[in-house]
Amino acid sequence: MAKDFSSFLSLEGATRKKSPLKSLIPLMHGDMISLGGGLPHPSTFPFHSLSAQITSMRPAAHQQKAVVAAASSDTVTVPLAPQPDKIESLTASLQYGIGTGIKSLRDFCREHVRLMHQPQYQDWDVILSAGNTDAFSKVVGLLCNRGDKILVEEWTYPTALETLDPHGIGHVAVEMDGEGMTATGLRRILDNWGSTPEQANDPKPRVVYLIPTGQNPTGATMSVKRRMDILAVAQDHDLILIEDDPYYYLQFHVEGGSWMPTLLSMDTDGRVIRLDTFSKTLAPGCRVGYMSMNARFCDTMQYHNEVTIQQPSGFSQAILAEMLVSHWGQEGYTRYLTDNVRTEYLKRSQYLQTELKTHINPKLASFIEPSAGMFIWIKIHVDQHPRYKTVKDSALMLDLFRKCVENNVLMVPGWQFSCKPKPQDVDPADVMNCWFDEDANYLRATFAYASFEQMKEASIRFGQTLDQFFSA
Ligand SMILES: Cc1ncc(COP(=O)(O)O)c(C=O)c1O
């Protein structure tokens, strides 16, 4: 069983209770006549069925091996009325729910987590979210009070920091290397907590936020050993780990279906909260994800859902359930992840890397090959610039960024992922005039979206821009 982490709940988390109104919903079955809950009458729903054309995952009939039938599609339909042994009717999915997500989709996600991650304690559970952005903000509410600080990777997903700031929750940057957050850096900060004047009055952090696979923005993926070491620090210092893992299925070197073990899969205490999303595997507009954690936390997340999103959109849930539960099944979904999603990003990643290597002078910029995710974190060797040391690195980087824009090649400025406080006198939205953080000598490129021709052209333009910039 999970350890008791109730003392980690924030004031908000500890105060959340089950909605009494929602407690009536499970009683509405069998012979019960409900004159209770204010559910709208389904005859007023103007939707008679919901259909979609989806990628077929049926094995090609003439082939022995299970392979994706090339470019074929299936039509799936969710009818209005209940059908025996099928997923919920459209009427049910479009109705108010109980904050967990519809049963068939939640069960599918729970089973997927069990198959993929095999959590090592019994009382874990899964609940649906409206994606990882929604889930993260709820986890922060669950665990953090104003004035707390959480530990984050030194380059991190900006939305996470933007979630913390308005709640008065601070962050502490932990050093990274090619494998993401270092366990030694994490331990050092915690072992020495309180030793600096700034930390003297701050409570010791109890929560770590990390993106272990195909990290955003660095593309770093933690090795198995790194994951074990991070977990060991978490046990020694009694920490909760938030494992935000949207790029987990974009692992390029999966052989024989052996995906990287997750922090959740190694956790014997119930201290890992894992966030999964369908955004990168199916489509971001679904706005559906799922969170896995100890049952105590999971209940509180349900109460939070009850008073915010209630549950993800009924349309999304209905069509996802029809596709995943009734058509693809666990096997088809896993095959889709491996053969379609992963393979496509592997191809794209290799293509952009090759083009960049062909067109960039390695003395001027370099990158570490990502083994997962969507990103290449390009380090600019500003020390090779003729004006190095006579002007600030940030001025050089801003100059380079402007030249890239002039030459029609766009990448995200490295400072956008910085954990350092933004100076008051800069407007971060004014990207053409903003570059803070003297260490942010990076640009983040993605191979996820542009066409192959565009990636080639962008690499040529970037290479030329670098040559031009470094010769000035
Ligand atoms: C680390 C990280 N977390 C979360 C998200 C957003 O996920 P979702 O679409 O599920 O809200 C992203 C997307 O860019 C991301 O990079």
Side-chain angles (χ1 to χ4, degrees), residues 130-134 157 209 211 216 244 246-247 277 279-280 284 287 375:
N132 284 15
T133 310
D134 169 55
Y157 177 47
Y209 168 72
I211 309 160
N216 186 359
D244 183 9
Y247 308 101
T277 175
S279 285
K280 318 291 176 182
R287 302 317 305 148
F375 308 114

Side-chain angles (χ1 to χ4, degrees), residues 212-215 218-221 227 247-253 345 349 353 369-376 447:
T213 321
Q215 204 257 359
T218 63
T221 296
R227 289 166 198 249
Y247 308 101
Y248 181 72
Y249 294 102
L250 278 60
Q251 290 174 47
F252 306 140
H253 305 297
Y345 287 112
S349 150
Q353 289 184 49
E369 275 185 31
S371 58
M374 294 183 163
F375 308 114
I376 299 183
F447 42 84

Side-chain angles (χ1 to χ4, degrees), residues 134-135 161 179 227 272:
D134 169 55
L161 303 184
E179 291 188 17
R227 289 166 198 249
V272 173

Side-chain angles (χ1 to χ4, degrees), residues 38-42 45 90-97 311:
L39 309 185
H41 197 271
F45 298 173
L90 187 58
T91 307
S93 294
L94 292 183
Q95 193 50 273
Y96 283 119
Q311 61 172 342

